[in-house]
Amino acid sequence: ELLKQFIEESIRLERNVAELYKVFNRLFPEDAYFWWTMFEEEENHAALIEHAAKIIVMSEDVLSQMLAPSLDALKKTNLKILSLVSEYNANPPSREAAFNVALKLELSAGELHFQKFMSRQNEDDIIAQLFQRLNKDDKDHAARLLEYMAEHDIKTSQSINV
């Protein structure tokens, strides 16, 4: 039951971020291709988790390592993203604010992707490999956001290291 909730919230996270990027795609035509690419990649992350969930049977030992503390964080993040989607549909943010919100989300998503798994080295550990890939993709998204922002003179609202 806890595992199912965690997987569902993880999928929701990816889809909610994708939905936010779709809003940005519509609001900022000058950046439409960039936001659409990010949207598609987030949708792919959701599909990856769904697929992995169907083929993986986890042991109690693995469950105890990862689930409980992060489930609440996932739920809170999902509610925040849904709130932003609603707010931005009614009240569009500035272009700069949109990029900074996306950057903050990508940097925090890595924290939600099971940090304990990021250091695991077992080549047979499919769960660890999945979340290591998602974590890498989150970092890649953050780096791409920063690069795009620099190329288009969009200021970051804080000092951020990727």
Side-chain angles (χ1 to χ4, degrees), residues 4-22 38-39 41-47 49-50 70-85 101-102 104-115 131 134-135 138 141:
K4 184 178 178 193
Q5 287 178 27
F6 202 92
I7 289 170
E8 288 170 0
E9 287 299 322
S10 295
I11 293 167
R12 271 189 208 100
L13 175 67
E14 301 298 338
R15 293 234 160 93
N16 289 340
V17 171
E19 187 62 28
L20 183 64
Y21 292 169
K22 196 158 102 175
M38 298 288 277
F39 161 80
E41 290 175 10
E42 296 298 339
E43 284 289 331
N44 287 341
H45 292 168
I49 296 170
E50 283 179 331
S70 298
L71 184 57
D72 285 339
L74 274 172
K75 287 180 178 181
K76 287 177 186 171
T77 301
N78 278 320
L79 287 173
K80 176 64 177 167
I81 295 168
L82 288 175
S83 170
L84 289 172
V85 167
V101 164
K104 185 175 179 182
L105 281 173
E106 291 297 341
L107 290 171
S108 68
E111 294 302 314
L112 296 172
H113 285 139
F114 312 152
Q115 286 300 315
F131 288 102
L134 289 174
N135 190 36
D138 294 334
H141 279 185

Side-chain angles (χ1 to χ4, degrees), residues 37-154:
T37 301
M38 298 288 277
F39 161 80
E40 287 180 330
E41 290 175 10
E42 296 298 339
E43 284 289 331
N44 287 341
H45 292 168
L48 182 65
I49 296 170
E50 283 179 331
H51 178 69
K54 291 176 185 172
I55 60 170
I56 295 169
V57 176
M58 298 178 69
S59 69
E60 289 297 317
D61 152 50
V62 173
L63 280 175
S64 67
Q65 292 181 40
M66 67 180 230
L67 293 183
S70 298
L71 184 57
D72 285 339
L74 274 172
K75 287 180 178 181
K76 287 177 186 171
T77 301
N78 278 320
L79 287 173
K80 176 64 177 167
I81 295 168
L82 288 175
S83 170
L84 289 172
V85 167
S86 177
E87 177 185 336
Y88 293 162
N89 272 319
N91 223 353
S94 69
R95 183 178 183 219
E96 183 177 307
F99 274 91
N100 278 284
V101 164
L103 184 58
K104 185 175 179 182
L105 281 173
E106 291 297 341
L107 290 171
S108 68
E111 294 302 314
L112 296 172
H113 285 139
F114 312 152
Q115 286 300 315
K116 287 186 180 179
F117 281 95
M118 296 310 117
S119 60
R120 291 170 64 127
Q121 298 299 320
N122 184 345
E123 290 179 17
D124 296 329
D125 193 336
I126 295 169
I127 291 283
Q129 290 173 17
L130 167 66
F131 288 102
Q132 286 168 354
R133 173 170 171 203
L134 289 174
N135 190 36
K136 179 188 174 298
D137 288 351
D138 294 334
K139 288 178 182 173
D140 182 54
H141 279 185
R144 283 174 36 215
L145 278 159
L146 284 169
E147 181 180 334
Y148 189 93
M149 292 168 76
E151 288 172 2
H152 295 86
D153 296 319
I154 302 168

